[in-house]
mmCIF file with all atom_site columns, all heavy atoms in Angstrom:
data_model
loop_
_atom_site.group_PDB
_atom_site.id
_atom_site.type_symbol
_atom_site.label_atom_id
_atom_site.label_alt_id
_atom_site.label_comp_id
_atom_site.label_asym_id
_atom_site.label_entity_id
_atom_site.label_seq_id
_atom_site.pdbx_PDB_ins_code
_atom_site.Cartn_x
_atom_site.Cartn_y
_atom_site.Cartn_z
_atom_site.occupancy
_atom_site.B_iso_or_equiv
_atom_site.pdbx_formal_charge
_atom_site.auth_seq_id
_atom_site.auth_comp_id
_atom_site.auth_asym_id
_atom_site.auth_atom_id
_atom_site.pdbx_PDB_model_num
ATOM 1   N N   . LEU Q 1 3   ? -45.992 -61.193 -133.790 1.00 0.00 ? 3   LEU Q N   1
ATOM 2   C CA  . LEU Q 1 3   ? -44.781 -61.575 -134.510 1.00 0.00 ? 3   LEU Q CA  1
ATOM 3   C C   . LEU Q 1 3   ? -44.042 -62.711 -133.799 1.00 0.00 ? 3   LEU Q C   1
ATOM 4   O O   . LEU Q 1 3   ? -43.539 -63.627 -134.451 1.00 0.00 ? 3   LEU Q O   1
ATOM 5   C CB  . LEU Q 1 3   ? -43.871 -60.360 -134.686 1.00 0.00 ? 3   LEU Q CB  1
ATOM 6   C CG  . LEU Q 1 3   ? -42.775 -60.465 -135.720 1.00 0.00 ? 3   LEU Q CG  1
ATOM 7   C CD1 . LEU Q 1 3   ? -43.325 -60.882 -137.083 1.00 0.00 ? 3   LEU Q CD1 1
ATOM 8   C CD2 . LEU Q 1 3   ? -42.045 -59.151 -135.851 1.00 0.00 ? 3   LEU Q CD2 1
ATOM 9   N N   . ILE Q 1 6   ? -45.946 -65.886 -134.459 1.00 0.00 ? 6   ILE Q N   1
ATOM 10  C CA  . ILE Q 1 6   ? -45.674 -66.377 -135.821 1.00 0.00 ? 6   ILE Q CA  1
ATOM 11  C C   . ILE Q 1 6   ? -44.301 -67.027 -135.883 1.00 0.00 ? 6   ILE Q C   1
ATOM 12  O O   . ILE Q 1 6   ? -44.147 -68.115 -136.455 1.00 0.00 ? 6   ILE Q O   1
ATOM 13  C CB  . ILE Q 1 6   ? -45.790 -65.228 -136.844 1.00 0.00 ? 6   ILE Q CB  1
ATOM 14  C CG1 . ILE Q 1 6   ? -47.256 -64.825 -137.001 1.00 0.00 ? 6   ILE Q CG1 1
ATOM 15  C CG2 . ILE Q 1 6   ? -45.185 -65.629 -138.190 1.00 0.00 ? 6   ILE Q CG2 1
ATOM 16  C CD1 . ILE Q 1 6   ? -47.464 -63.574 -137.822 1.00 0.00 ? 6   ILE Q CD1 1
ATOM 17  N N   . ALA Q 1 7   ? -43.308 -66.389 -135.288 1.00 0.00 ? 7   ALA Q N   1
ATOM 18  C CA  . ALA Q 1 7   ? -41.939 -66.931 -135.334 1.00 0.00 ? 7   ALA Q CA  1
ATOM 19  C C   . ALA Q 1 7   ? -41.846 -68.287 -134.653 1.00 0.00 ? 7   ALA Q C   1
ATOM 20  O O   . ALA Q 1 7   ? -41.102 -69.161 -135.106 1.00 0.00 ? 7   ALA Q O   1
ATOM 21  C CB  . ALA Q 1 7   ? -40.967 -65.955 -134.694 1.00 0.00 ? 7   ALA Q CB  1
ATOM 22  N N   . GLN Q 1 10  ? -45.414 -70.493 -136.657 1.00 0.00 ? 10  GLN Q N   1
ATOM 23  C CA  . GLN Q 1 10  ? -45.529 -70.530 -138.114 1.00 0.00 ? 10  GLN Q CA  1
ATOM 24  C C   . GLN Q 1 10  ? -44.335 -69.809 -138.750 1.00 0.00 ? 10  GLN Q C   1
ATOM 25  O O   . GLN Q 1 10  ? -44.493 -68.809 -139.446 1.00 0.00 ? 10  GLN Q O   1
ATOM 26  C CB  . GLN Q 1 10  ? -46.826 -69.855 -138.562 1.00 0.00 ? 10  GLN Q CB  1
ATOM 27  C CG  . GLN Q 1 10  ? -48.069 -70.529 -138.030 1.00 0.00 ? 10  GLN Q CG  1
ATOM 28  C CD  . GLN Q 1 10  ? -49.308 -69.711 -138.354 1.00 0.00 ? 10  GLN Q CD  1
ATOM 29  O OE1 . GLN Q 1 10  ? -49.326 -68.510 -138.162 1.00 0.00 ? 10  GLN Q OE1 1
ATOM 30  N NE2 . GLN Q 1 10  ? -50.333 -70.381 -138.850 1.00 0.00 ? 10  GLN Q NE2 1
ATOM 31  N N   . PRO Q 1 11  ? -43.121 -70.332 -138.527 1.00 0.00 ? 11  PRO Q N   1
ATOM 32  C CA  . PRO Q 1 11  ? -41.938 -69.618 -139.022 1.00 0.00 ? 11  PRO Q CA  1
ATOM 33  C C   . PRO Q 1 11  ? -41.924 -69.419 -140.538 1.00 0.00 ? 11  PRO Q C   1
ATOM 34  O O   . PRO Q 1 11  ? -41.289 -68.491 -141.028 1.00 0.00 ? 11  PRO Q O   1
ATOM 35  C CB  . PRO Q 1 11  ? -40.765 -70.485 -138.554 1.00 0.00 ? 11  PRO Q CB  1
ATOM 36  C CG  . PRO Q 1 11  ? -41.348 -71.798 -138.183 1.00 0.00 ? 11  PRO Q CG  1
ATOM 37  C CD  . PRO Q 1 11  ? -42.790 -71.570 -137.857 1.00 0.00 ? 11  PRO Q CD  1
ATOM 38  N N   . GLN Q 1 12  ? -42.642 -70.237 -141.278 1.00 0.00 ? 12  GLN Q N   1
ATOM 39  C CA  . GLN Q 1 12  ? -42.689 -70.067 -142.733 1.00 0.00 ? 12  GLN Q CA  1
ATOM 40  C C   . GLN Q 1 12  ? -43.341 -68.739 -143.120 1.00 0.00 ? 12  GLN Q C   1
ATOM 41  O O   . GLN Q 1 12  ? -43.061 -68.193 -144.181 1.00 0.00 ? 12  GLN Q O   1
ATOM 42  C CB  . GLN Q 1 12  ? -43.402 -71.244 -143.412 1.00 0.00 ? 12  GLN Q CB  1
ATOM 43  C CG  . GLN Q 1 12  ? -44.889 -71.354 -143.139 1.00 0.00 ? 12  GLN Q CG  1
ATOM 44  C CD  . GLN Q 1 12  ? -45.273 -72.001 -141.808 1.00 0.00 ? 12  GLN Q CD  1
ATOM 45  O OE1 . GLN Q 1 12  ? -44.448 -72.300 -140.966 1.00 0.00 ? 12  GLN Q OE1 1
ATOM 46  N NE2 . GLN Q 1 12  ? -46.573 -72.213 -141.623 1.00 0.00 ? 12  GLN Q NE2 1
ATOM 47  N N   . MET Q 1 13  ? -44.171 -68.181 -142.244 1.00 0.00 ? 13  MET Q N   1
ATOM 48  C CA  . MET Q 1 13  ? -44.800 -66.888 -142.526 1.00 0.00 ? 13  MET Q CA  1
ATOM 49  C C   . MET Q 1 13  ? -43.795 -65.746 -142.501 1.00 0.00 ? 13  MET Q C   1
ATOM 50  O O   . MET Q 1 13  ? -44.022 -64.704 -143.108 1.00 0.00 ? 13  MET Q O   1
ATOM 51  C CB  . MET Q 1 13  ? -45.921 -66.603 -141.522 1.00 0.00 ? 13  MET Q CB  1
ATOM 52  C CG  . MET Q 1 13  ? -47.241 -67.252 -141.888 1.00 0.00 ? 13  MET Q CG  1
ATOM 53  S SD  . MET Q 1 13  ? -48.566 -66.696 -140.797 1.00 0.00 ? 13  MET Q SD  1
ATOM 54  C CE  . MET Q 1 13  ? -48.712 -64.970 -141.243 1.00 0.00 ? 13  MET Q CE  1
ATOM 55  N N   . LEU Q 1 14  ? -42.684 -65.942 -141.799 1.00 0.00 ? 14  LEU Q N   1
ATOM 56  C CA  . LEU Q 1 14  ? -41.672 -64.890 -141.740 1.00 0.00 ? 14  LEU Q CA  1
ATOM 57  C C   . LEU Q 1 14  ? -41.129 -64.573 -143.125 1.00 0.00 ? 14  LEU Q C   1
ATOM 58  O O   . LEU Q 1 14  ? -40.876 -63.414 -143.445 1.00 0.00 ? 14  LEU Q O   1
ATOM 59  C CB  . LEU Q 1 14  ? -40.537 -65.275 -140.792 1.00 0.00 ? 14  LEU Q CB  1
ATOM 60  C CG  . LEU Q 1 14  ? -40.917 -65.362 -139.312 1.00 0.00 ? 14  LEU Q CG  1
ATOM 61  C CD1 . LEU Q 1 14  ? -39.721 -65.829 -138.493 1.00 0.00 ? 14  LEU Q CD1 1
ATOM 62  C CD2 . LEU Q 1 14  ? -41.436 -64.035 -138.805 1.00 0.00 ? 14  LEU Q CD2 1
ATOM 63  N N   . ALA Q 1 15  ? -40.963 -65.603 -143.954 1.00 0.00 ? 15  ALA Q N   1
ATOM 64  C CA  . ALA Q 1 15  ? -40.490 -65.371 -145.328 1.00 0.00 ? 15  ALA Q CA  1
ATOM 65  C C   . ALA Q 1 15  ? -41.491 -64.510 -146.093 1.00 0.00 ? 15  ALA Q C   1
ATOM 66  O O   . ALA Q 1 15  ? -41.094 -63.621 -146.853 1.00 0.00 ? 15  ALA Q O   1
ATOM 67  C CB  . ALA Q 1 15  ? -40.262 -66.698 -146.042 1.00 0.00 ? 15  ALA Q CB  1
ATOM 68  N N   . SER Q 1 16  ? -42.771 -64.747 -145.900 1.00 0.00 ? 16  SER Q N   1
ATOM 69  C CA  . SER Q 1 16  ? -43.797 -63.932 -146.562 1.00 0.00 ? 16  SER Q CA  1
ATOM 70  C C   . SER Q 1 16  ? -43.735 -62.482 -146.097 1.00 0.00 ? 16  SER Q C   1
ATOM 71  O O   . SER Q 1 16  ? -43.905 -61.556 -146.893 1.00 0.00 ? 16  SER Q O   1
ATOM 72  C CB  . SER Q 1 16  ? -45.193 -64.485 -146.271 1.00 0.00 ? 16  SER Q CB  1
ATOM 73  O OG  . SER Q 1 16  ? -45.332 -65.770 -146.813 1.00 0.00 ? 16  SER Q OG  1
ATOM 74  N N   . ILE Q 1 17  ? -43.474 -62.292 -144.804 1.00 0.00 ? 17  ILE Q N   1
ATOM 75  C CA  . ILE Q 1 17  ? -43.382 -60.938 -144.263 1.00 0.00 ? 17  ILE Q CA  1
ATOM 76  C C   . ILE Q 1 17  ? -42.191 -60.219 -144.891 1.00 0.00 ? 17  ILE Q C   1
ATOM 77  O O   . ILE Q 1 17  ? -42.309 -59.079 -145.342 1.00 0.00 ? 17  ILE Q O   1
ATOM 78  C CB  . ILE Q 1 17  ? -43.276 -60.972 -142.724 1.00 0.00 ? 17  ILE Q CB  1
ATOM 79  C CG1 . ILE Q 1 17  ? -44.612 -61.431 -142.127 1.00 0.00 ? 17  ILE Q CG1 1
ATOM 80  C CG2 . ILE Q 1 17  ? -42.852 -59.618 -142.164 1.00 0.00 ? 17  ILE Q CG2 1
ATOM 81  C CD1 . ILE Q 1 17  ? -44.576 -61.748 -140.652 1.00 0.00 ? 17  ILE Q CD1 1
ATOM 82  N N   . VAL Q 1 18  ? -41.054 -60.896 -144.943 1.00 0.00 ? 18  VAL Q N   1
ATOM 83  C CA  . VAL Q 1 18  ? -39.845 -60.287 -145.522 1.00 0.00 ? 18  VAL Q CA  1
ATOM 84  C C   . VAL Q 1 18  ? -40.066 -59.999 -147.004 1.00 0.00 ? 18  VAL Q C   1
ATOM 85  O O   . VAL Q 1 18  ? -39.711 -58.934 -147.494 1.00 0.00 ? 18  VAL Q O   1
ATOM 86  C CB  . VAL Q 1 18  ? -38.614 -61.189 -145.286 1.00 0.00 ? 18  VAL Q CB  1
ATOM 87  C CG1 . VAL Q 1 18  ? -37.413 -60.722 -146.082 1.00 0.00 ? 18  VAL Q CG1 1
ATOM 88  C CG2 . VAL Q 1 18  ? -38.284 -61.245 -143.796 1.00 0.00 ? 18  VAL Q CG2 1
ATOM 89  N N   . GLN Q 1 19  ? -40.674 -60.942 -147.717 1.00 0.00 ? 19  GLN Q N   1
ATOM 90  C CA  . GLN Q 1 19  ? -40.934 -60.735 -149.156 1.00 0.00 ? 19  GLN Q CA  1
ATOM 91  C C   . GLN Q 1 19  ? -41.923 -59.605 -149.398 1.00 0.00 ? 19  GLN Q C   1
ATOM 92  O O   . GLN Q 1 19  ? -41.853 -58.926 -150.419 1.00 0.00 ? 19  GLN Q O   1
ATOM 93  C CB  . GLN Q 1 19  ? -41.446 -62.024 -149.798 1.00 0.00 ? 19  GLN Q CB  1
ATOM 94  C CG  . GLN Q 1 19  ? -40.378 -63.087 -149.929 1.00 0.00 ? 19  GLN Q CG  1
ATOM 95  C CD  . GLN Q 1 19  ? -40.943 -64.413 -150.408 1.00 0.00 ? 19  GLN Q CD  1
ATOM 96  O OE1 . GLN Q 1 19  ? -42.141 -64.658 -150.355 1.00 0.00 ? 19  GLN Q OE1 1
ATOM 97  N NE2 . GLN Q 1 19  ? -40.049 -65.286 -150.867 1.00 0.00 ? 19  GLN Q NE2 1
ATOM 98  N N   . GLY Q 1 20  ? -42.838 -59.387 -148.469 1.00 0.00 ? 20  GLY Q N   1
ATOM 99  C CA  . GLY Q 1 20  ? -43.827 -58.332 -148.620 1.00 0.00 ? 20  GLY Q CA  1
ATOM 100 C C   . GLY Q 1 20  ? -43.316 -56.950 -148.213 1.00 0.00 ? 20  GLY Q C   1
ATOM 101 O O   . GLY Q 1 20  ? -44.018 -55.955 -148.373 1.00 0.00 ? 20  GLY Q O   1
ATOM 102 N N   . THR Q 1 21  ? -42.110 -56.903 -147.701 1.00 0.00 ? 21  THR Q N   1
ATOM 103 C CA  . THR Q 1 21  ? -41.528 -55.632 -147.287 1.00 0.00 ? 21  THR Q CA  1
ATOM 104 C C   . THR Q 1 21  ? -41.157 -54.816 -148.525 1.00 0.00 ? 21  THR Q C   1
ATOM 105 O O   . THR Q 1 21  ? -40.511 -55.339 -149.430 1.00 0.00 ? 21  THR Q O   1
ATOM 106 C CB  . THR Q 1 21  ? -40.272 -55.884 -146.425 1.00 0.00 ? 21  THR Q CB  1
ATOM 107 O OG1 . THR Q 1 21  ? -40.655 -56.643 -145.273 1.00 0.00 ? 21  THR Q OG1 1
ATOM 108 C CG2 . THR Q 1 21  ? -39.634 -54.580 -145.988 1.00 0.00 ? 21  THR Q CG2 1
ATOM 109 N N   . TRP Q 1 26  ? -35.288 -52.057 -147.632 1.00 0.00 ? 26  TRP Q N   1
ATOM 110 C CA  . TRP Q 1 26  ? -33.995 -52.751 -147.691 1.00 0.00 ? 26  TRP Q CA  1
ATOM 111 C C   . TRP Q 1 26  ? -32.889 -51.781 -148.105 1.00 0.00 ? 26  TRP Q C   1
ATOM 112 O O   . TRP Q 1 26  ? -31.750 -51.894 -147.645 1.00 0.00 ? 26  TRP Q O   1
ATOM 113 C CB  . TRP Q 1 26  ? -34.073 -53.956 -148.624 1.00 0.00 ? 26  TRP Q CB  1
ATOM 114 C CG  . TRP Q 1 26  ? -35.157 -54.900 -148.177 1.00 0.00 ? 26  TRP Q CG  1
ATOM 115 C CD1 . TRP Q 1 26  ? -36.231 -55.311 -148.905 1.00 0.00 ? 26  TRP Q CD1 1
ATOM 116 C CD2 . TRP Q 1 26  ? -35.295 -55.518 -146.882 1.00 0.00 ? 26  TRP Q CD2 1
ATOM 117 N NE1 . TRP Q 1 26  ? -37.032 -56.138 -148.142 1.00 0.00 ? 26  TRP Q NE1 1
ATOM 118 C CE2 . TRP Q 1 26  ? -36.477 -56.280 -146.903 1.00 0.00 ? 26  TRP Q CE2 1
ATOM 119 C CE3 . TRP Q 1 26  ? -34.552 -55.480 -145.711 1.00 0.00 ? 26  TRP Q CE3 1
ATOM 120 C CZ2 . TRP Q 1 26  ? -36.915 -57.019 -145.810 1.00 0.00 ? 26  TRP Q CZ2 1
ATOM 121 C CZ3 . TRP Q 1 26  ? -34.987 -56.205 -144.607 1.00 0.00 ? 26  TRP Q CZ3 1
ATOM 122 C CH2 . TRP Q 1 26  ? -36.159 -56.967 -144.669 1.00 0.00 ? 26  TRP Q CH2 1
ATOM 123 N N   . TYR Q 1 132 ? -39.137 -51.328 -138.016 1.00 0.00 ? 132 TYR Q N   1
ATOM 124 C CA  . TYR Q 1 132 ? -39.572 -52.431 -138.896 1.00 0.00 ? 132 TYR Q CA  1
ATOM 125 C C   . TYR Q 1 132 ? -40.550 -53.359 -138.168 1.00 0.00 ? 132 TYR Q C   1
ATOM 126 O O   . TYR Q 1 132 ? -41.619 -53.682 -138.702 1.00 0.00 ? 132 TYR Q O   1
ATOM 127 C CB  . TYR Q 1 132 ? -38.355 -53.214 -139.384 1.00 0.00 ? 132 TYR Q CB  1
ATOM 128 C CG  . TYR Q 1 132 ? -38.713 -54.329 -140.330 1.00 0.00 ? 132 TYR Q CG  1
ATOM 129 C CD1 . TYR Q 1 132 ? -39.017 -54.062 -141.656 1.00 0.00 ? 132 TYR Q CD1 1
ATOM 130 C CD2 . TYR Q 1 132 ? -38.769 -55.656 -139.903 1.00 0.00 ? 132 TYR Q CD2 1
ATOM 131 C CE1 . TYR Q 1 132 ? -39.367 -55.080 -142.531 1.00 0.00 ? 132 TYR Q CE1 1
ATOM 132 C CE2 . TYR Q 1 132 ? -39.118 -56.676 -140.769 1.00 0.00 ? 132 TYR Q CE2 1
ATOM 133 C CZ  . TYR Q 1 132 ? -39.411 -56.392 -142.080 1.00 0.00 ? 132 TYR Q CZ  1
ATOM 134 O OH  . TYR Q 1 132 ? -39.759 -57.391 -142.931 1.00 0.00 ? 132 TYR Q OH  1
ATOM 135 N N   . VAL Q 1 136 ? -44.486 -54.228 -138.883 1.00 0.00 ? 136 VAL Q N   1
ATOM 136 C CA  . VAL Q 1 136 ? -45.014 -55.578 -139.118 1.00 0.00 ? 136 VAL Q CA  1
ATOM 137 C C   . VAL Q 1 136 ? -46.149 -55.874 -138.140 1.00 0.00 ? 136 VAL Q C   1
ATOM 138 O O   . VAL Q 1 136 ? -47.205 -56.370 -138.538 1.00 0.00 ? 136 VAL Q O   1
ATOM 139 C CB  . VAL Q 1 136 ? -43.893 -56.638 -139.001 1.00 0.00 ? 136 VAL Q CB  1
ATOM 140 C CG1 . VAL Q 1 136 ? -44.460 -58.041 -138.998 1.00 0.00 ? 136 VAL Q CG1 1
ATOM 141 C CG2 . VAL Q 1 136 ? -42.877 -56.472 -140.132 1.00 0.00 ? 136 VAL Q CG2 1
#
Side-chain angles (χ1 to χ4, degrees):
L3 196 53
I6 289 171
Q10 299 172 314
Q12 68 279 6
M13 277 188 67
L14 293 177
S16 296
I17 290 169
V18 170
Q19 289 173 343
T21 300
W26 303 122
Y132 182 78
V136 170

